[in-house]
Amino acid sequence: MEASSSSTSSPPPPPPPSIPASSAWADASPLLDAACRDLQDGELIHGENFSLFGAMSALEIMDPKMDCGIEKSGYYSIDEAIEDGIAPVPLSLDRTLDIQRTLDVMDHLFSCEATWHKGHTLAQTVFTCIYLMRMERTSSHAILNSFCRILRATCYAVVSVVSTARTHEEEDLFTMSFGLPLRDEGDEKCLSILNSVEETIARQLRACKAQALSRKKTLEGLESLQDNPDLEEDYCRALLCRLRFRKHFYHVVTCLRKPHGRGLELARKHVASCLTELSLMLNSRDFLRSQSNNTQQQGDEICTTASGVRPVGFDASLNSRLLSPAPPRAVKLLSWSDAIRYFEKLLHDLDIICSSPLDPVLENVLHFVVQFQKSVPDLVPRAFLQTLLVQDGKLYGRDLSCDVISRALSLPDIIGDKEFQMNEFVVQLGQLVINLLKILCTNTAWQRRKLGKSLQDWSTISIQLEFALKREFGETRNVLPHENMCMRVSKQLLVWTQEHTYWVAYRFLILGFELDLYSPSEYCMVYWYMYVVLMKLIEQMQLRILASNENSRRKGKKKKDHSKDSSRDTAFPSSCLLLQCYVLLSEGLSMMLAALRNESNSFQLPSIFNSEQERFIQHFDLLQKARLPEHITYYSFRESASHASIADLTKYNFFKEIHKITPSLRGSFASEPEKLAEIRQIEQVAEHNRIALNIISQVGAGDPSLRVSFEFTHHPHFAVAVVKRS
Amino acid sequence: MSAAAAEATERGEPSGGGGEIAYVSYGGEHHLPLVMSLVDEELSEPYSIFTYRYFVYLWPQLTFLAFDPKDGKCVGTVVCKMGEHRGAFRGYIAMLVVLKPYRGRGIATELVTRSIRVMMESGCEEVTLEAEVTNKGALALYGRLGFIRAKRLYRYYLNGVDAFRLKLLFPRPDPGMHPMMMLGNERDDQHMDSPYL
């Protein structure tokens, strides 16, 4: 504001050139003063552009819910905290206590690291450690220094993988480093520094063992960790497993980042070593507990160290001023036991990634990611998987996405074909495939939203392809034996695109169950839509198989990879059959719910403001806009649901049909345990629902004592009817 | 934002004993402290006074208060807005609170129904809000009113809990009779997904 309130007699400054010279300048101070007198606390001058974002961005200073700066830190700076002695180096002048406290710092940092991975800021977790904030102070303390250095380097590497994977705001908190000392020149040497410390302690441990055997007093040339010879061996062990865990974990993180997945095998070995060290850490707990002062111990659910003692050297509130101007998120640190469990899960998830065969066949890649997501992995492993799958816009940083597509079309002849690669549809589809892989690595909530939005893009390309095909080659869509290559490629590309569009649509629908987005009164329409989408998916899949059979038939037996192709041809029908099971489950559930609605008035939800039609439109809006499939409206659903009856359902029993399919599926999936487990689940759902249907039919759906509810006890996407009589 | 007024078990008629609850549309500055203290007490998210003013000054007709006639105590409130959002005219329920001892008497349903009705009459095409995934009472209440769970918002709240974005779509009037938009220029809505980091 330019209006000057100073009362000095200096001449007013000349107006800036942007203001016409004819403007007259006036002193606005009295007006402002009057306005200020008129305003009460909390009142504001309301401008037309006053937005909710503006209002919500306002913070009330000194309100404990909003002002993260006021958190009751006794210290105004790290230096002040250090001067006050909260992070002494050495940690104690008593050498045994020094080692105990060093172990506590390591353990607490471990809990902090897990808490950070679980979605909090570095500043509020790992970097609440004053030793880490001022690492130079620890240079005289080799053990602590080497530990902190490698931890910091690991944090930096993990931040880097998560920022590379960058998919949405989930990682914002994770990667914010607020100018923390996350990187230092010496950190490349962290491994060699750690190795030499590890070596020293390992030698000391060997000396202890030898000493125990020979009952000799001391060993020259070696310095003990602390003063009590009886405890030396246990302290050596406790330190070693913690240091080694850090070493192997650092290796895991760096190996996984090697281009083209070249480090996977080595990473896997380090994952196994990490798990071994984790169990040794757990084993050290009894000893550390027995040595700690009982009065300082906290309960297992909250204590962040193995010994149970609160560590020295941390201040949780010092960093709060570094946080962005937002209300502080409540940080509840994971306990040490929970942190162990977190890292075990993390390592198992990373192990799955390491087991990737780097398969270039898209169907298998998609299956791998979907399977990986079943264990609900956290942000860090998902980021690692994404950076493995997509590097420099290529699959594994190795395969061009257009080659991935031509391979999927079973047209090995056109791999590397420039004309195919340059085709605008192939370029666009290539980008969609890469995006799809990235989306599939995000958390399910975000994944569903992005999948829903991408449906429009998939469907637009389908429509354009179809249009182009009609323009160039006329109406026919079946693959004829004697047509030219160009036409065949175009047709197969269209079929492939539509198949994947419906694959995305189906995943979009089933994720709604995992996210609990559907209420029981909506199950009927959701299963009905799933049924419709699955039918289309099978249709496109069969067309693709037909075309690829045609390709291999044309090629004859001269190609050397014939045997591989024919094995794939026979594998495809079983994936169709698996989809057929889902079709039967979806249709069966939808019709069972519709019959219950028709005959017992249940599973309906009348509301005063809208009807089922509006709920249908809302749930399937993105599918409808993308015309997936065409000519499907709420009325198609109502039409097919209105005729459903329990009597008809028992006559044509969808759930019984499933048992006719599964035996042959078991045979084809005999070597794939995950798929066998899936078939088992399908059979259980079918069996439970078959029985439920029988009971309902015997009792009569209209019987007022009948209570039917649906539960997801056997499959995450397909409900099981539970029948009770009151 | 939060909408937390667990209204679990019975719906509809207020149970006897306490007498009829009185529902009042936002009447001015004297109501603001009542609204603020109720929300501060019951909801997890912190709101500055500017946030309250933003709502009650721009859309006083969408804010309602519920009073217990016995002692004149304010026992519940609903705070809303409406405006243009991505080409649709949309209502938004920002806060809904009923004091614990008064829950289960249909007060929240009545409050929110009043607001939604005004929104519908003002030409809104849909109404949205966010609720914690753990807030079964609120989810059931909105489900009964015809809301669907459109999205799940990962770790939406400062306390780390996920939210559901709930949506109520009004039946479309004849295409020719599209309601006129009154308020516009709500550029802020794009930030609604995450008011805080």
Side-chain angles (χ1 to χ4, degrees):
Chain A
M1 200 160 295
E2 204 47 45
S4 160
S5 58
S6 66
S7 54
T8 52
S9 55
S10 57
S18 59
I19 293 181
S22 57
S23 305
W25 285 74
D27 186 359
S29 316
L31 179 68
L32 287 177
D33 285 344
C36 288
R37 275 195 302 278
D38 217 30
L39 273 176
Q40 303 297 312
D41 265 1
E43 289 186 352
L44 67 147
I45 300 168
H46 170 207
E48 268 180 33
N49 58 353
F50 178 52
S51 68
L52 179 58
F53 188 66
M56 301 236 351
S57 302
L59 293 173
E60 282 177 44
I61 306 297
M62 302 311 282
D63 176 339
K65 260 180 165 179
M66 291 197 204
D67 183 354
C68 46
I70 70 157
E71 279 211 39
K72 309 151 274 283
S73 172
Y75 303 112
Y76 291 100
S77 71
I78 295 171
D79 294 323
E80 193 188 329
I82 291 170
E83 269 170 42
D84 203 38
I86 77 158
V89 181
L91 288 77
S92 169
L93 292 172
D94 174 336
R95 293 179 68 223
T96 308
L97 192 55
D98 181 66
I99 290 299
Q100 277 181 9
R101 286 185 173 170
T102 305
L103 285 160
D104 289 340
V105 170
M106 290 176 173
D107 286 348
H108 189 79
L109 277 169
F110 181 75
S111 303
C112 286
E113 192 184 7
T115 310
W116 170 51
H117 283 198
K118 279 292 205 179
H120 292 283
T121 59
L122 270 173
Q124 286 174 293
T125 55
V126 177
F127 280 86
T128 57
C129 178
I130 288 165
Y131 296 114
L132 215 57
M133 294 292 279
R134 290 277 195 279
M135 198 110 86
E136 67 283 355
R137 290 179 63 245
T138 63
S139 53
S140 60
H141 200 294
I143 299 175
L144 186 60
N145 185 267
S146 63
F147 185 91
C148 288
R149 199 173 277 279
I150 199 161
L151 171 64
R152 185 167 69 176
T154 307
C155 290
Y156 182 78
V158 172
V159 165
S160 142
V161 72
V162 173
S163 355
T164 307
R166 178 155 285 277
T167 46
H168 86 299
E169 70 254 27
E170 186 190 348
E171 77 275 333
D172 282 358
L173 279 177
F174 188 90
T175 52
M176 274 194 286
S177 52
F178 310 105
L180 293 167
L182 197 51
R183 210 181 180 195
D184 188 58
E185 280 178 16
D187 282 1
E188 303 87 63
K189 287 179 277 176
C190 66
L191 266 177
S192 56
I193 296 170
L194 187 85
N195 280 336
S196 75
V197 172
E198 184 200 335
E199 184 49 39
T200 311
I201 302 173
R203 234 184 297 143
Q204 179 65 13
L205 178 62
R206 283 196 296 275
C208 286
K209 286 180 184 165
Q211 188 186 17
L213 283 175
S214 65
R215 293 172 196 279
K216 258 197 251 165
K217 267 285 172 223
T218 48
L219 275 134
E220 9 358 305
L222 282 172
E223 203 192 333
S224 67
L225 286 172
Q226 43 84 53
D227 297 330
N228 187 341
D230 296 336
L231 306 176
E232 185 75 359
E233 188 177 334
D234 283 311
Y235 279 124
C236 283
R237 286 181 199 283
L239 280 174
L240 271 178
C241 57
R242 284 162 174 78
L243 293 172
R244 284 175 177 156
F245 172 81
R246 294 260 53 112
K247 179 178 74 176
H248 291 299
F249 190 60
Y250 182 75
H251 277 300
V252 170
V253 168
T254 46
C255 287
L256 279 172
R257 290 306 301 280
K258 295 235 167 91
H260 307 210
R262 280 191 205 121
L264 292 188
E265 210 176 312
L266 193 54
R268 198 163 201 192
K269 286 182 185 149
H270 287 295
V271 165
S273 304
C274 277
L275 285 165
T276 312
E277 301 304 332
L278 274 184
S279 65
L280 292 173
M281 282 164 65
L282 215 47
N283 288 348
S284 71
R285 176 154 62 178
D286 287 346
F287 165 71
L288 293 172
R289 291 224 145 169
S290 70
Q291 294 307 310
S292 67
N293 185 344
N294 284 335
T295 56
Q296 295 172 359
Q297 280 183 2
Q298 310 154 277
D300 187 42
E301 337 67 65
I302 52 160
C303 82
T304 54
T305 56
S307 68
V309 176
R310 223 183 283 270
V312 299
F314 290 84
D315 188 313
S317 45
L318 263 175
N319 273 334
S320 41
R321 267 168 295 112
L322 291 168
L323 299 172
S324 64
R329 282 189 183 253
V331 178
K332 192 182 166 294
L333 283 184
L334 260 62
S335 71
W336 190 74
S337 324
D338 285 341
I340 294 259
R341 275 188 283 276
Y342 167 76
F343 273 100
E344 278 172 353
K345 163 117 172 69
L346 169 69
L347 289 161
H348 285 299
D349 290 334
L350 294 179
D351 191 55
I352 297 176
I353 298 174
C354 294
S355 74
S356 161
L358 303 177
D359 193 331
V361 176
L362 184 63
E363 312 312 309
N364 300 343
V365 183
L366 295 179
H367 177 73
F368 183 83
V369 188
V370 168
Q371 200 61 32
F372 172 76
Q373 285 276 19
K374 278 190 183 165
S375 67
V376 197
D378 288 291
L379 172 62
V380 173
R382 281 190 277 107
F384 272 114
L385 179 60
Q386 195 201 301
T387 53
L388 171 70
L389 292 180
V390 182
Q391 297 166 21
D392 309 325
K394 296 181 213 157
L395 179 63
Y396 311 118
R398 187 186 69 189
D399 301 290
L400 286 170
S401 48
C402 48
D403 291 345
V404 173
I405 294 172
S406 49
R407 192 172 288 117
L409 300 183
S410 309
L411 290 169
D413 308 356
I414 53 169
I415 290 183
D417 183 282
K418 282 280 169 284
E419 204 181 325
F420 183 76
Q421 287 177 359
M422 305 288 282
N423 180 290
E424 58 168 317
F425 291 119
V426 175
V427 171
Q428 285 183 46
L429 285 169
Q431 279 164 1
L432 278 186
V433 165
I434 292 297
N435 277 342
L436 175 61
L437 289 175
K438 285 186 177 175
I439 292 169
L440 290 175
C441 292
T442 63
N443 70 60
T444 41
W446 185 253
Q447 194 186 135
R448 186 173 193 270
R449 286 162 71 178
K450 296 299 278 184
L451 287 178
K453 281 184 189 157
S454 78
L455 280 173
Q456 191 68 55
D457 303 330
W458 281 99
S459 139
T460 305
I461 297 192
S462 267
I463 292 166
Q464 288 172 347
L465 257 172
E466 196 160 14
F467 189 70
L469 198 61
K470 269 185 194 160
R471 199 178 48 214
E472 306 259 325
F473 306 109
E475 289 295 319
T476 173
R477 280 191 50 192
N478 292 330
V479 179
L480 302 170
H482 300 298
E483 58 203 3
N484 67 44
M485 187 67 178
C486 180
M487 184 167 175
R488 248 176 354 124
V489 171
S490 305
K491 279 182 180 174
Q492 277 180 244
L493 199 58
L494 174 60
V495 168
W496 180 88
T497 306
Q498 291 190 334
E499 183 187 343
H500 284 80
T501 309
Y502 283 109
W503 187 90
V504 173
Y506 181 62
R507 183 146 181 86
F508 170 80
L509 287 174
I510 56 175
L511 284 182
F513 285 109
E514 291 181 24
L515 296 168
D516 197 19
L517 293 180
Y518 309 128
S519 76
S521 62
E522 295 156 357
Y523 291 165
C524 184
M525 60 167 133
V526 175
Y527 283 120
W528 180 82
Y529 218 114
M530 274 163 66
Y531 155 73
V532 171
V533 165
L534 280 165
M535 289 299 281
K536 285 286 180 183
L537 180 54
I538 291 186
E539 187 186 304
Q540 300 304 321
M541 193 185 252
Q542 281 168 338
L543 280 174
R544 176 167 58 85
I545 293 163
L546 220 69
S548 83
N549 286 348
E550 174 63 22
N551 289 336
S552 44
R553 197 190 60 76
R554 281 177 172 227
K555 257 182 285 155
K557 290 176 183 173
K558 58 192 174 190
K559 292 272 175 193
K560 59 175 191 272
D561 57 349
H562 168 71
S563 60
K564 204 172 155 195
D565 271 353
S566 67
S567 75
R568 268 174 56 201
D569 290 345
T570 50
F572 274 125
S574 56
S575 45
C576 274
L577 277 183
L578 184 60
L579 287 183
Q580 190 60 41
C581 291
Y582 296 141
V583 168
L584 289 167
L585 281 183
S586 303
E587 196 178 8
L589 279 164
S590 174
M591 288 303 115
M592 178 150 104
L593 282 151
L596 287 168
R597 285 150 54 112
N598 295 339
E599 293 173 30
S600 74
N601 272 332
S602 51
F603 299 101
Q604 284 171 337
L605 204 58
S607 100
I608 51 170
F609 290 114
N610 64 10
S611 69
E612 187 177 60
Q613 182 173 3
E614 281 73 37
R615 273 166 267 166
F616 183 95
I617 294 171
Q618 282 178 288
H619 268 307
F620 309 120
D621 187 35
L622 291 168
L623 296 147
Q624 298 259 292
K625 277 189 186 143
R627 299 202 262 170
L628 296 170
E630 252 174 316
H631 312 306
I632 285 292
T633 63
Y634 170 69
Y635 297 103
S636 342
F637 160 65
R638 230 189 38 195
E639 173 68 20
S640 67
S642 60
H643 303 303
S645 74
I646 295 288
D648 287 347
L649 266 176
T650 43
K651 255 181 256 157
Y652 182 77
N653 194 322
F654 299 97
F655 304 119
K656 252 192 213 158
E657 288 296 306
I658 286 174
H659 291 292
K660 293 183 190 160
I661 302 177
T662 48
S664 76
L665 271 180
R666 280 179 185 284
S668 6
F669 294 139
S671 60
E672 294 171 80
E674 298 152 2
K675 286 199 174 145
L676 286 178
E678 176 71 16
I679 293 167
R680 172 107 199 87
Q681 288 186 322
I682 290 171
E683 285 176 333
Q684 283 174 332
V685 175
E687 185 59 10
H688 279 85
N689 283 329
R690 188 187 65 78
I691 296 169
L693 202 55
N694 276 347
I695 300 174
I696 296 168
S697 146
Q698 280 159 21
V699 178
D703 189 316
S705 70
L706 196 71
R707 294 277 174 277
V708 185
S709 58
F710 284 83
E711 290 174 4
F712 293 86
T713 40
H714 291 87
H715 197 285
H717 313 137
F718 295 99
V720 161
V722 178
V723 184
K724 284 189 183 134
R725 297 192 69 179
S726 53
Chain B
M1 290 208 174
S2 301
E7 177 85 2
T9 45
E10 77 260 52
R11 64 177 139 137
E13 297 310 303
S15 60
E20 289 284 313
I21 296 287
Y23 297 93
V24 180
S25 185
Y26 183 79
E29 195 69 3
H30 62 290
H31 278 155
L32 188 60
L34 302 177
V35 172
M36 281 172 55
S37 66
L38 267 179
V39 176
D40 275 348
E41 217 170 292
E42 299 288 332
L43 297 186
S44 63
E45 296 287 284
Y47 299 113
S48 77
I49 185 163
F50 305 114
T51 304
Y52 293 104
R53 286 197 191 282
Y54 171 81
F55 287 107
V56 300
Y57 272 59
L58 290 173
W59 300 278
Q61 75 277 28
L62 299 179
T63 294
F64 289 91
L65 296 88
F67 290 93
D68 183 346
K70 230 176 23 194
D71 47 9
K73 189 175 159 193
C74 180
V75 300
T77 187
V78 61
V79 176
C80 311
K81 64 176 257 174
M82 56 189 175
E84 208 38 50
H85 178 87
R86 289 186 187 151
F89 194 57
R90 175 192 259 197
Y92 177 74
I93 298 166
M95 308 164 199
L96 171 65
V97 176
V98 171
L99 286 179
K100 265 216 180 78
Y102 290 84
R103 290 183 194 169
R105 292 165 61 173
I107 298 173
T109 304
E110 179 60 30
L111 282 168
V112 85
T113 303
R114 283 175 186 240
S115 294
I116 294 173
R117 225 172 245 137
V118 177
M119 291 174 189
M120 192 158 74
E121 285 156 10
S122 314
C124 283
E125 293 149 73
E126 55 183 21
V127 182
T128 70
L129 64 105
E130 293 92 35
E132 291 186 18
V133 295
T134 48
N135 191 346
K136 299 281 180 242
L139 294 175
L141 182 159
Y142 290 114
R144 285 194 298 271
L145 292 173
F147 283 81
I148 67 144
R149 296 171 217 161
K151 284 176 188 168
R152 192 173 175 120
L153 308 167
Y154 185 75
R155 290 200 188 141
Y156 182 75
Y157 292 105
L158 288 177
N159 59 15
V161 174
D162 287 2
F164 284 125
R165 165 82 37 80
L166 303 182
K167 273 192 192 179
L168 172 77
L169 182 68
F170 292 126
R172 254 160 236 195
D174 285 336
M177 317 231 316
H178 205 65
M180 287 297 291
M181 311 307 172
M182 310 167 340
L183 287 140
N185 210 14
E186 290 291 310
R187 289 171 309 175
D188 50 315
D189 269 69
Q190 68 218 35
H191 301 288
M192 292 297 294
D193 265 10
S194 182
Y196 302 124
L197 278 174

